[in-house]
mmCIF file of all heavy atoms in Angstrom:
data_model
loop_
_atom_site.group_PDB
_atom_site.id
_atom_site.type_symbol
_atom_site.label_atom_id
_atom_site.label_comp_id
_atom_site.label_asym_id
_atom_site.label_seq_id
_atom_site.Cartn_x
_atom_site.Cartn_y
_atom_site.Cartn_z
ATOM 1 N N PRO A 553 100.022 108.741 99.187
ATOM 2 C CA PRO A 553 98.675 108.710 98.596
ATOM 3 C C PRO A 553 98.696 108.667 97.067
ATOM 4 O O PRO A 553 97.638 108.544 96.449
ATOM 5 C CB PRO A 553 98.028 110.008 99.101
ATOM 6 C CG PRO A 553 99.140 110.874 99.554
ATOM 7 C CD PRO A 553 100.349 110.023 99.813
ATOM 8 N N ARG A 554 99.889 108.727 96.477
ATOM 9 C CA ARG A 554 99.997 108.616 95.015
ATOM 10 C C ARG A 554 100.760 107.359 94.606
ATOM 11 O O ARG A 554 101.325 107.284 93.523
ATOM 12 C CB ARG A 554 100.697 109.862 94.451
ATOM 13 C CG ARG A 554 99.771 111.069 94.385
ATOM 14 C CD ARG A 554 100.461 112.279 93.813
ATOM 15 N NE ARG A 554 101.296 112.893 94.830
ATOM 16 C CZ ARG A 554 100.847 113.758 95.749
ATOM 17 N NH1 ARG A 554 99.585 114.124 95.764
ATOM 18 N NH2 ARG A 554 101.668 114.261 96.653
ATOM 19 N N ALA A 555 100.749 106.343 95.488
ATOM 20 C CA ALA A 555 101.584 105.161 95.255
ATOM 21 C C ALA A 555 101.210 104.403 93.988
ATOM 22 O O ALA A 555 102.055 103.782 93.347
ATOM 23 C CB ALA A 555 101.496 104.232 96.459
ATOM 24 N N THR A 556 99.935 104.413 93.623
ATOM 25 C CA THR A 556 99.510 103.731 92.397
ATOM 26 C C THR A 556 98.710 104.739 91.572
ATOM 27 O O THR A 556 98.183 105.716 92.126
ATOM 28 C CB THR A 556 98.604 102.513 92.701
ATOM 29 O OG1 THR A 556 97.345 102.994 93.204
ATOM 30 C CG2 THR A 556 99.230 101.577 93.728
ATOM 31 N N PRO A 557 98.577 104.499 90.292
ATOM 32 C CA PRO A 557 97.808 105.439 89.475
ATOM 33 C C PRO A 557 96.380 105.625 90.002
ATOM 34 O O PRO A 557 95.861 106.740 90.039
ATOM 35 C CB PRO A 557 97.806 104.793 88.083
ATOM 36 C CG PRO A 557 99.038 103.936 88.076
ATOM 37 C CD PRO A 557 99.214 103.441 89.492
ATOM 38 N N LEU A 558 95.757 104.550 90.440
ATOM 39 C CA LEU A 558 94.381 104.656 90.935
ATOM 40 C C LEU A 558 94.316 105.449 92.244
ATOM 41 O O LEU A 558 93.449 106.314 92.414
ATOM 42 C CB LEU A 558 93.786 103.257 91.120
ATOM 43 C CG LEU A 558 92.336 103.224 91.609
ATOM 44 C CD1 LEU A 558 91.388 103.901 90.610
ATOM 45 C CD2 LEU A 558 91.878 101.792 91.876
ATOM 46 N N LEU A 559 95.260 105.140 93.157
ATOM 47 C CA LEU A 559 95.311 105.890 94.420
ATOM 48 C C LEU A 559 95.506 107.377 94.140
ATOM 49 O O LEU A 559 94.844 108.227 94.745
ATOM 50 C CB LEU A 559 96.480 105.402 95.271
ATOM 51 C CG LEU A 559 96.174 104.505 96.469
ATOM 52 C CD1 LEU A 559 97.483 104.028 97.111
ATOM 53 C CD2 LEU A 559 95.323 105.219 97.504
ATOM 54 N N ALA A 560 96.409 107.681 93.227
ATOM 55 C CA ALA A 560 96.722 109.086 92.919
ATOM 56 C C ALA A 560 95.476 109.784 92.373
ATOM 57 O O ALA A 560 95.125 110.897 92.775
ATOM 58 C CB ALA A 560 97.854 109.150 91.907
ATOM 59 N N ARG A 561 94.811 109.094 91.452
ATOM 60 C CA ARG A 561 93.628 109.674 90.808
ATOM 61 C C ARG A 561 92.500 109.899 91.815
ATOM 62 O O ARG A 561 91.894 110.964 91.869
ATOM 63 C CB ARG A 561 93.185 108.704 89.708
ATOM 64 C CG ARG A 561 92.197 109.231 88.738
ATOM 65 C CD ARG A 561 91.914 108.152 87.704
ATOM 66 N NE ARG A 561 90.842 108.577 86.858
ATOM 67 C CZ ARG A 561 90.999 109.148 85.662
ATOM 68 N NH1 ARG A 561 92.206 109.346 85.169
ATOM 69 N NH2 ARG A 561 89.962 109.518 84.953
ATOM 70 N N ARG A 562 92.284 108.861 92.642
ATOM 71 C CA ARG A 562 91.191 108.952 93.621
ATOM 72 C C ARG A 562 91.524 109.955 94.730
ATOM 73 O O ARG A 562 90.664 110.722 95.168
ATOM 74 C CB ARG A 562 90.917 107.558 94.209
ATOM 75 C CG ARG A 562 89.780 107.510 95.210
ATOM 76 C CD ARG A 562 88.446 107.838 94.571
ATOM 77 N NE ARG A 562 87.373 107.899 95.573
ATOM 78 C CZ ARG A 562 87.038 108.982 96.285
ATOM 79 N NH1 ARG A 562 87.709 110.122 96.126
ATOM 80 N NH2 ARG A 562 86.048 108.930 97.149
ATOM 81 N N SER A 563 92.793 109.956 95.163
ATOM 82 C CA SER A 563 93.192 110.885 96.235
ATOM 83 C C SER A 563 93.068 112.329 95.773
ATOM 84 O O SER A 563 92.696 113.214 96.563
ATOM 85 C CB SER A 563 94.633 110.614 96.677
ATOM 86 O OG SER A 563 94.742 109.324 97.227
ATOM 87 N N ALA A 564 93.358 112.554 94.501
ATOM 88 C CA ALA A 564 93.301 113.925 93.970
ATOM 89 C C ALA A 564 91.880 114.481 94.051
ATOM 90 O O ALA A 564 91.684 115.699 94.128
ATOM 91 C CB ALA A 564 93.803 113.951 92.529
ATOM 92 N N ALA A 565 90.905 113.587 94.031
ATOM 93 C CA ALA A 565 89.506 114.030 94.045
ATOM 94 C C ALA A 565 88.958 114.199 95.462
ATOM 95 O O ALA A 565 87.789 114.528 95.638
ATOM 96 C CB ALA A 565 88.651 113.016 93.283
ATOM 97 N N CYS A 566 89.794 113.965 96.468
ATOM 98 C CA CYS A 566 89.311 114.053 97.858
ATOM 99 C C CYS A 566 89.330 115.492 98.358
ATOM 100 O O CYS A 566 90.299 116.216 98.148
ATOM 101 C CB CYS A 566 90.188 113.215 98.784
ATOM 102 S SG CYS A 566 90.026 111.457 98.515
ATOM 103 N N ALA A 567 88.271 115.851 99.079
ATOM 104 C CA ALA A 567 88.189 117.216 99.601
ATOM 105 C C ALA A 567 88.705 117.303 101.038
ATOM 106 O O ALA A 567 89.177 118.349 101.469
ATOM 107 C CB ALA A 567 86.745 117.697 99.538
ATOM 108 N N THR A 568 88.601 116.219 101.786
ATOM 109 C CA THR A 568 88.942 116.306 103.214
ATOM 110 C C THR A 568 89.991 115.254 103.590
ATOM 111 O O THR A 568 90.179 114.255 102.877
ATOM 112 C CB THR A 568 87.696 116.033 104.088
ATOM 113 O OG1 THR A 568 87.283 114.678 103.844
ATOM 114 C CG2 THR A 568 86.557 116.978 103.751
ATOM 115 N N LEU A 569 90.617 115.477 104.730
ATOM 116 C CA LEU A 569 91.584 114.498 105.256
ATOM 117 C C LEU A 569 90.892 113.159 105.495
ATOM 118 O O LEU A 569 91.444 112.101 105.193
ATOM 119 C CB LEU A 569 92.184 115.025 106.565
ATOM 120 C CG LEU A 569 93.069 114.022 107.323
ATOM 121 C CD1 LEU A 569 94.301 113.650 106.509
ATOM 122 C CD2 LEU A 569 93.470 114.585 108.689
ATOM 123 N N ASP A 570 89.691 113.203 106.042
ATOM 124 C CA ASP A 570 88.932 111.986 106.305
ATOM 125 C C ASP A 570 88.763 111.143 105.050
ATOM 126 O O ASP A 570 88.954 109.927 105.065
ATOM 127 C CB ASP A 570 87.554 112.399 106.829
ATOM 128 C CG ASP A 570 87.237 111.669 108.103
ATOM 129 O OD1 ASP A 570 88.117 111.646 108.979
ATOM 130 O OD2 ASP A 570 86.126 111.113 108.195
ATOM 131 N N GLU A 571 88.417 111.813 103.958
ATOM 132 C CA GLU A 571 88.255 111.097 102.682
ATOM 133 C C GLU A 571 89.579 110.505 102.230
ATOM 134 O O GLU A 571 89.644 109.374 101.744
ATOM 135 C CB GLU A 571 87.793 112.070 101.591
ATOM 136 C CG GLU A 571 86.319 112.357 101.562
ATOM 137 C CD GLU A 571 86.016 113.332 100.424
ATOM 138 O OE1 GLU A 571 86.274 113.000 99.257
ATOM 139 O OE2 GLU A 571 85.568 114.453 100.720
ATOM 140 N N ARG A 572 90.646 111.264 102.381
ATOM 141 C CA ARG A 572 91.954 110.769 101.924
ATOM 142 C C ARG A 572 92.399 109.557 102.740
ATOM 143 O O ARG A 572 92.955 108.604 102.215
ATOM 144 C CB ARG A 572 92.999 111.892 101.992
ATOM 145 C CG ARG A 572 92.775 112.927 100.894
ATOM 146 C CD ARG A 572 93.923 113.891 100.771
ATOM 147 N NE ARG A 572 93.960 114.800 101.900
ATOM 148 C CZ ARG A 572 95.035 115.030 102.650
ATOM 149 N NH1 ARG A 572 96.174 114.412 102.391
ATOM 150 N NH2 ARG A 572 94.976 115.882 103.640
ATOM 151 N N LEU A 573 92.109 109.594 104.046
ATOM 152 C CA LEU A 573 92.456 108.437 104.879
ATOM 153 C C LEU A 573 91.614 107.226 104.488
ATOM 154 O O LEU A 573 92.104 106.093 104.438
ATOM 155 C CB LEU A 573 92.255 108.768 106.366
ATOM 156 C CG LEU A 573 93.246 109.752 106.980
ATOM 157 C CD1 LEU A 573 92.841 110.103 108.421
ATOM 158 C CD2 LEU A 573 94.673 109.201 106.966
#
Side-chain angles (χ1 to χ4, degrees):
R554 283 181 281 276
T556 69
L558 181 62
L559 256 175
R561 193 178 173 97
R562 182 65 185 87
S563 297
C566 291
T568 64
L569 172 63
D570 231 48
E571 278 180 61
R572 287 191 289 128
L573 290 174

